[in-house]
Every structure is written in C-alpha cells, then in structure tokens.
Amino acid sequence: MKKIVLILIVGILLFSCKKENADYFSKKEVIDSLFIVAESTMDTKLKLKIADQVLNGIEKNNFDSISRSKYLGVTRIFYSLNNPKYVKICKLLIANPSEKVNPYEISFYNFLLGNYYYNNANYEDAFIAFSRAEKSFMALNNLEYLVKTLTTKADILTFKNEYITAENLAIKALKISKNLNKEDLKYGCYLTLGNCSNGLNNYNKAVEFYEKALVSTDKLLLNPNHTSLRSMPLVYISNVYRKQKQYAKSIKYAQKGLNSKNLKKVDPSIYSYLLNSLNYSKFKLGEKSSVNGFLETLKIGDSLKFAPIQITSKTYLGEYYLAQKDTIKANIYLKDAQKQAHLNNIFEDELTILKLLSKANPKQTSFYTNRFIQLNDSLQIEERKTRDKFARIEFETDEIITERNSLSEEKKYLTYQILVIVGISILAIIIIVLWFKNNSQKAKTRELLLKQDQQKANEEIYQLMMEQQQKIEEAKNIEKQRISLDLHDSVMGKLTAVRMNLYVALVKHKLAEESGFSKQIDEIQDVEKEIRAIAHNLNSDLFSDNANFIGIVKELFAKIENHSQIHFQLQVSDAVNWDLINNTTKINLYRILQEALQNIEKYAQATTVAVSMFNTDNGELQIEISDDGNGFDVTQKKKGIGLNNMKTRVAELNGKIEIQSAIKKGTKINLIIPY
C-alpha cells in the first residue's frame, strides 16, 4: 500500500506539470516533496530519477544558503546510489565557499571526493582530499568521520609501501574507535594495522590484528554485509601463512572462509580470493586438482570484469603449467597476465610474472630479467616521488610533523649504521654537506631578519611622516586662524574706526554731501568687506571645498608613492556635490582613506590601488578602494585596530562598509555615506 502511495505522489510531481512550465521543479515546495519521496523509496531507479529532477530544479535557483542545503541533500542521494554525479556537485560547492556555509559541509564534500578518487585508484588526489577532510573533522570534533578518514589515508599509504606512517595513523584511529565503542570502525582499523604489519614482514603481529578483526565481526551480526566482513580477515590470514610457505595453515583459514554461507553469491570477489589462496597452497603441496580451482576463479573474474582476480588466476595457472613442464600453456597464461597487469598498472604482480616468464623461456631469460630490472627501478623511483608528495601534504598538520620527525630519527639511525660500515670517507662527505646546509640556512635566516628589520623601519618612518604631516596641517590651520583674528579684530576694527571718525569730521564741517568725500568713505567700507571675506576664508576648515579635499587626497597618494612601488588611480565624478558634504564628514572620509591605504602598504604588497568617488542612485556618496595585492580570507582574518577604526568612523557617519577579498585576488573596500 505504501509503495502504491509513493508511486502516485511521484507520478503527480513528475508528470502533472505542462512542458511550458519549465520552472515547475525549481519551486521550493516541489523540491521538498521530491526529497521526501526519494528518502522513502527503496527503488534505485526511481530514486535516481527523482535525484536528477531535484538537481535540475536546484540549478535553476540562485546559488544561496538554501540551495546549498538542497545540494547537500541531493549529493547524499547520488553518493548512496554510487552515481558519479555527486563528484561534480562536491567540486562546485568546494570551489564556491560561503560565509554562512556549515563547516561540516565542506569537510563532508572533501570526504566524498576522497572516496571517489580512492575507488578509482587516484590515490594522490584522494590523499589530498582526505587530508583536508581530516583537519575539518578534527576541528569539528566529528570523531566517527575522523576515524574513517584516518583509516583510508593509512590504506593509501600501505599501497605505497609507507607502512610506518600508515601504522601510526591506524593506531590513532583505533584509539578513537575504542573510545567511541564502534565495532565497525575498530574492524577497519584492525585490518589496516594487519596490512601494515604484513608489509613490514611482522607476520605474527599481522595475524593477531586480523584475528581481532574477526572478533569484531561477531558483534556485527546485524550488518547486512556480515558475510563479506567476516571473510575478509580470513583472506588476509590465509595469505600471510601462504607468504610464509605454511601452506597447511593457509588452507585451513581459506577453507574456513569458503564455508561462509552464500559467500560466492554475496561477494564473488572475496570468494575468488579465498579459492585462489586455497588452491595455490594445495598446488604447492603437490595436489594437481588445484588447477580446477584456478580455472573457476578465472571464470568468475571474467564475469565480473575484475582485473586483479583475472591476473592472479592466470598467474597461478601459468605457474602451475610451468611446474608441469607445459611451457606452451604456461606462456599463454603468463603473457596474457603480464599484458593485463601492465595495462592496469598492477606492477607488483607484473614483477612476479616476469620472473615466471624468465623461467618459462630460458632462451629469453636476459630479456625478461632486463625488463624486470627496468620495471623494478622505475617503481622505486615512482615510489620515492609519491612518498615525497604525501610527505608534503602530511606536513600541514602538527601530528604528521611529529610522525615525520620520528621517521627522520629512524633515517638518522640508519644513516649512522651506513656511516659505520662505509667508513671515514663517507662520514667526511656528510659532515661537509651538513656544514654547507647549516651555513646556507643561517644566511637565509640573517637575510630574513634583515628584511624584517627593514620593513619595521619603513613602517616607523611612514608613521613619523604621517604624524609630521598632521602636525604641519594643524599648525597651518592655527596660523590661518590667528591671521584671520588679527585681520578681523585689529585691522578691520581700526579701519572701521577711521571711517566713522572721518564721517563725523565731514559732517561737522558740512562736507559729507560732497560726492568726492562720500566716494572715499564707501571705498574704505569696501576694503572692510574684502578684509572680512579674507578673514572668513582663512578661518574656514581645510576640507571646506571640493578642490581642497581632492587636493589633500592626491597629496596623500603622492607621499605614499614616494617611498613605495604603489601606483594610484583616482576617479571623482563631477556629479558629487561637495558643498553639501560637511567638514566633519570630509575629515572622517580622509581618515578612513588614510587607514585603508596604510593597511594596503603594510600588508597587501599591491602594485596598483584604484579609488573611485561617485553618487549612488539614492543620492549617497559611494567610495570604492581596490588593490591587486595578496588579499586575505575574510572569514578567518582577525579584525585589527585599523579595520575597527574604519568601521567606527563609518558608523558615526551612518554609513555602510563592505570588504571583499580572497587569497591572491586583491581586496575591495566599498563605502556608502549619506549626505
């Protein structure tokens, strides 16, 4: 009944809209309804169809916090269906971070990307993605995903034969898993630790860890993959004993795994691994019937189109027929296996096959031996390169630094042993190299300190210049006010007194009516007006008009250009009515601009700074300050005193300030001030 209701809901949602209503599926209520249906149904085809429809709907909406949450939901659906579309979404969301984005989202996207790369054997990109996810999960204290991330990183390192580093990561993951008391997590840690010990040829310890993984599976009986989970440690244990040529024990554990109910149907790949291990051990004990098992696993590998099983089965068949002195059949299987191993980059198997081909073709021993040496050397070179890449990634965390130091100590110990063996000559060479590196490092350190001192001196000089300029401007204003007062109170007062006395004298002598004398009195009064105007202008503020304000700004640019490599570009719109902007606003704008330019000079390492002043559509003054400098992460950068001062001044003017910046993409400051 429930399934019928779901089908009806989906039918209504998917087919009720007309074709011309292209935005139907972009509606929030429709997307929410589709999500509910997708999470409820177990039909993978229906779920995939719904997920595609949801994704199309989300992509039509604006890229905001709401759409991000929808992207996260549809990503989970695609991931659960093992559909690679989730990779595209993860890359999109990681490349477009948001200030309001949940930190868990980015770490989860990196985790999913890591799994995708890991499943496709792209171990370098997988390691980078998991390293990013690891730091995020650690910061968020998301311990469950942290364990999964550490365990997978350790698995990648085992593939690259970095067993010691992998073992350290797995031990760290195991400690967390025990605190969480999560058996599925402990199971994965035990398998990884077993693989590390096996790679280090510590076989007893490897079997011990695999046995612990088996114990964990007893507590995972309700897990639908229980049969596969229990069989995997048995594969590893059987391989360990086979590696030690303890074939009887290898057969015992392989048979124990093959006895698992419906294993061949549930997980044919694990079944093939166990069957190959069983029959190879039997083959080594002289049982000729083992060839039937190899043929069976080859058939399974062909049906699954799974190269590792195909290659292993063909190799065992080649070795079997080689032991039977049937070199024709041996060569058929071995050459086919060698070609397939090379195409699939399974080079360790190819090395084993080349050894067998050398035995199967005595006349071509030299050819296969040379091929073996070339391949082995190239693998060692590639292994070193990969190890260096992973080391650089690991260096980003304090914990990995500690592990690298531990490895360095081991290398020093090995170097010491080599020095004892090879003698005094090599010791002298190493001492010379160390001495040279030490001197080189000291020289670099001295150079860095000198640069820091020079930078500090430049900053102090700049600060002194700014303080001196401010004092000069203040002194100029004081002097202008003094002259203004002298003109107004002294000179103009005396002129007024002279004019009044002269007028009284003229009246007394009855000469006031004469045009010549009256004209002279009027001219004295005009002089008074001119002096009053001059006094008023002298007493006006530095920023009282457009020309003065723009001139002061240009003077500020010129001073910075004199002692830096910064080039300034100033654009001022003629539409700005500076007469309507009071002096207090101009002073605050100047101080904000001064603070912004000082920060750019100190930290941005910019070459070009552009300043634009114009009116907004609402009649407000808008000022944009942009540079091509280093930029910074606005979500993580600590707010300094300078930035707080700028925001305080903007708030006093009832304005708005917006800062946009990104690493290596410069910074843009946008001010909007009403006037």
Side-chain angles (χ1 to χ4, degrees):
M1 182 65 181
K2 184 177 180 181
K3 187 173 182 180
I4 295 174
V5 172
L6 286 173
I7 293 173
L8 288 174
I9 294 173
V10 175
I12 293 171
L13 290 173
L14 296 179
F15 305 112
S16 63
C17 63
K18 296 181 179 180
K19 289 185 179 180
E20 59 267 20
N21 189 8
D23 295 331
Y24 178 76
F25 290 104
S26 64
K27 294 180 179 179
K28 179 181 179 299
E29 58 272 17
V30 176
I31 293 175
D32 291 340
S33 300
L34 288 172
F35 263 125
I36 294 173
V37 177
E39 292 173 357
S40 302
T41 181
M42 298 298 291
D43 188 333
T44 56
K45 291 184 178 179
L46 178 60
K47 183 175 288 191
L48 179 60
K49 187 172 184 179
I50 295 173
D52 284 329
Q53 200 67 65
V54 170
L55 180 60
N56 292 335
I58 298 173
E59 288 177 338
K60 293 177 181 178
N61 293 324
N62 294 328
F63 196 76
D64 52 21
S65 58
I66 297 177
S67 67
R68 291 187 73 97
S69 65
K70 303 301 182 186
Y71 273 121
L72 178 61
V74 78
T75 300
R76 291 179 182 274
I77 296 176
F78 282 125
Y79 180 70
S80 67
L81 297 173
N82 198 28
N83 188 295
K85 286 186 179 180
Y86 75 86
V87 178
K88 173 186 173 184
I89 303 174
C90 289
K91 290 181 178 179
L92 171 67
L93 296 176
I94 291 174
N96 294 276
S98 169
E99 293 183 6
K100 298 181 180 180
V101 68
N102 185 345
Y104 168 75
E105 289 184 26
I106 299 298
S107 56
F108 182 70
Y109 296 140
N110 277 307
F111 180 80
L112 295 186
L113 273 181
N115 276 322
Y116 172 77
Y117 293 133
Y118 178 80
N119 293 332
N120 287 276
N122 186 350
Y123 296 127
E124 182 179 340
D125 287 340
F127 197 84
I128 293 173
F130 280 124
S131 294
R132 292 171 180 166
E134 175 192 350
K135 292 195 294 184
S136 299
F137 288 138
M138 191 178 297
L140 295 167
N141 201 32
N142 192 325
L143 299 181
E144 182 173 349
Y145 274 98
L146 177 60
V147 170
K148 294 178 180 178
T149 302
L150 291 172
T151 305
T152 311
K153 284 181 65 178
D155 288 335
I156 293 172
L157 290 171
T158 59
F159 298 153
K160 302 300 179 180
N161 299 330
E162 279 289 299
Y163 299 114
I164 295 177
T165 307
E167 188 175 48
N168 290 333
L169 288 176
I171 289 172
K172 179 181 177 182
L174 180 60
K175 289 179 180 178
I176 300 173
S177 301
K178 287 182 177 179
N179 291 332
L180 294 175
N181 197 24
K182 300 277 288 187
E183 290 299 329
D184 56 334
L185 299 180
K186 287 193 284 185
Y187 170 84
C189 293
Y190 286 134
L191 285 185
T192 302
L193 285 169
N195 292 337
C196 292
S197 298
N198 188 20
L200 294 169
N201 297 328
N202 191 347
Y203 301 122
N204 292 334
K205 197 68 177 177
V207 171
E208 181 182 336
F209 282 124
Y210 294 142
E211 292 283 3
K212 288 182 178 180
L214 278 174
V215 173
S216 292
T217 60
D218 293 336
K219 302 176 183 179
L220 296 171
L221 294 175
L222 297 178
N223 192 303
N225 299 319
H226 177 263
T227 300
S228 299
L229 294 175
R230 183 162 183 80
S231 299
M232 184 57 73
L234 295 172
V235 172
Y236 290 134
I237 295 173
S238 178
N239 287 338
V240 169
Y241 285 125
R242 179 168 51 81
K243 189 176 179 181
Q244 298 179 84
K245 298 183 180 181
Q246 298 184 35
Y247 299 119
K249 287 186 177 181
S250 177
I251 291 172
K252 173 185 174 183
Y253 281 93
Q255 191 62 61
K256 188 175 181 181
L258 290 169
N259 289 336
S260 299
K261 187 177 180 181
N262 295 326
L263 177 62
K264 184 176 181 180
K265 181 179 180 181
V266 173
D267 199 326
S269 60
I270 292 181
Y271 172 82
S272 298
Y273 288 134
L274 287 167
L275 189 59
N276 267 336
S277 184
L278 172 72
N279 285 287
Y280 187 82
S281 296
K282 286 183 176 181
F283 157 61
K284 286 297 183 178
L285 292 176
E287 293 189 28
K288 294 183 178 181
S289 61
S290 58
V291 67
N292 296 324
F294 298 149
L295 291 171
E296 181 182 352
T297 56
L298 178 58
K299 185 177 180 180
I300 294 173
D302 291 340
S303 65
L304 297 175
K305 295 181 180 179
F306 190 49
I309 293 176
Q310 294 172 312
I311 294 167
T312 301
S313 300
K314 292 174 185 177
T315 303
Y316 288 168
L317 283 166
E319 188 175 353
Y320 171 84
Y321 284 116
L322 183 61
Q324 304 303 317
K325 302 188 184 303
D326 188 346
T327 56
I328 295 177
K329 286 187 177 180
N331 273 306
I332 291 174
Y333 285 112
L334 290 174
K335 288 181 179 180
D336 195 14
Q338 188 263 333
K339 180 180 179 181
Q340 192 172 9
H342 191 79
L343 289 174
N344 288 276
N345 297 328
I346 307 177
F347 298 119
E348 290 187 1
D349 285 357
E350 186 177 1
L351 289 174
T352 301
I353 297 167
L354 287 171
K355 287 182 180 180
L356 294 172
L357 282 169
S358 178
K359 294 178 181 179
N361 300 274
K363 294 182 180 180
Q364 294 180 295
T365 299
S366 177
F367 170 78
Y368 289 113
T369 301
N370 289 335
R371 173 61 185 149
F372 177 88
I373 294 172
Q374 291 173 1
L375 179 59
N376 189 51
D377 289 345
S378 64
L379 287 177
Q380 290 180 2
I381 293 171
E382 185 63 29
E383 183 179 318
R384 284 195 294 270
K385 290 181 180 178
T386 304
R387 186 184 300 120
D388 291 340
K389 291 178 183 178
F390 288 164
R392 286 195 296 271
I393 297 169
E394 289 285 14
F395 191 74
E396 295 178 0
T397 63
D398 294 336
E399 194 164 37
I400 302 305
I401 291 175
T402 303
E403 294 172 3
R404 284 173 57 83
N405 289 337
S406 176
L407 289 175
S408 178
E409 291 298 325
E410 292 180 7
K411 289 180 181 179
K412 287 181 181 179
Y413 177 72
L414 292 175
T415 303
Y416 172 77
Q417 289 181 324
I418 295 172
L419 291 174
V420 172
I421 295 173
V422 299
I424 302 300
S425 59
I426 297 180
L427 177 61
I429 294 173
I430 293 177
I431 291 174
I432 292 172
V433 171
L434 291 175
W435 177 83
F436 176 78
K437 287 185 176 180
N438 185 48
N439 282 355
S440 177
Q441 185 62 38
K442 286 182 179 178
K444 290 180 180 179
T445 302
R446 285 196 297 270
E447 183 181 353
L448 179 60
L449 290 174
L450 287 173
K451 287 182 178 179
Q452 291 176 345
D453 291 341
Q454 183 64 40
Q455 179 67 21
K456 185 177 180 181
N458 290 340
E459 292 176 1
E460 291 175 354
I461 291 171
Y462 177 73
Q463 186 63 33
L464 288 172
M465 290 174 62
M466 296 302 298
E467 292 175 358
Q468 185 65 27
Q469 180 63 28
Q470 186 173 355
K471 290 179 181 179
I472 291 172
E473 295 297 334
E474 290 174 355
K476 286 167 63 177
N477 287 335
I478 293 172
E479 183 63 18
K480 287 196 290 184
Q481 290 176 359
R482 186 189 66 77
I483 295 172
S484 172
L485 290 174
D486 287 347
L487 288 173
H488 185 276
D489 297 340
S490 179
V491 177
M492 193 174 71
K494 290 178 181 180
L495 280 174
T496 302
V498 170
R499 179 173 58 82
M500 295 300 297
N501 291 334
L502 183 60
Y503 183 76
V504 171
L506 292 176
V507 170
K508 184 177 180 181
H509 294 286
K510 299 180 180 180
L511 299 174
E513 300 300 328
E514 293 186 17
S515 60
F517 291 111
S518 298
K519 185 177 180 181
Q520 295 300 321
I521 291 174
D522 292 340
E523 287 182 358
I524 292 173
Q525 191 170 13
D526 290 339
V527 171
E528 290 179 30
K529 291 179 180 179
E530 288 181 11
I531 292 174
R532 184 180 294 108
I534 292 171
H536 176 74
N537 289 335
L538 285 172
N539 199 34
S540 298
D541 192 83
L542 181 65
F543 301 100
S544 60
D545 57 64
N546 178 18
N548 280 346
F549 181 73
I550 300 303
I552 289 297
V553 171
K554 290 181 178 179
E555 185 177 350
L556 176 61
F557 291 170
K559 289 177 181 178
I560 296 176
E561 285 179 335
N562 285 338
H563 63 268
S564 72
Q565 301 298 321
I566 301 176
H567 173 67
F568 290 92
Q569 298 175 355
L570 177 63
Q571 183 178 1
V572 182
S573 173
D574 294 335
V576 178
N577 191 346
W578 295 96
D579 294 333
L580 297 179
I581 302 176
N582 59 49
N583 291 336
T584 300
T585 301
K586 292 178 181 177
I587 291 171
N588 278 298
L589 288 177
Y590 178 80
R591 297 306 181 198
I592 291 170
L593 185 61
Q594 189 180 44
E595 188 69 50
L597 298 182
Q598 187 174 357
N599 285 341
I600 292 172
E601 184 183 9
K602 281 185 178 181
Y603 309 114
Q605 296 184 1
T607 58
T608 303
V609 177
V611 179
S612 301
M613 303 179 186
F614 52 90
N615 283 336
T616 66
D617 294 338
N618 296 328
E620 297 172 314
L621 175 62
Q622 183 167 348
I623 299 178
E624 291 183 354
I625 309 167
S626 60
D627 66 73
D628 60 354
N630 291 335
F632 61 93
D633 188 346
V634 295
T635 63
Q636 297 183 1
K637 185 76 174 178
K638 293 184 178 179
K639 297 179 180 179
I641 296 175
L643 183 58
N644 287 332
N645 288 342
M646 291 168 62
K647 291 188 175 182
T648 300
R649 290 184 184 275
V650 171
E652 289 176 357
L653 300 176
N654 296 321
K656 299 177 183 178
I657 181 171
E658 180 183 4
I659 300 175
Q660 300 174 351
S661 185
I663 302 298
K664 302 298 182 184
K665 294 185 178 180
T667 302
K668 182 178 180 181
I669 301 174
N670 191 20
L671 305 172
I672 297 180
I673 307 298
Y675 71 92

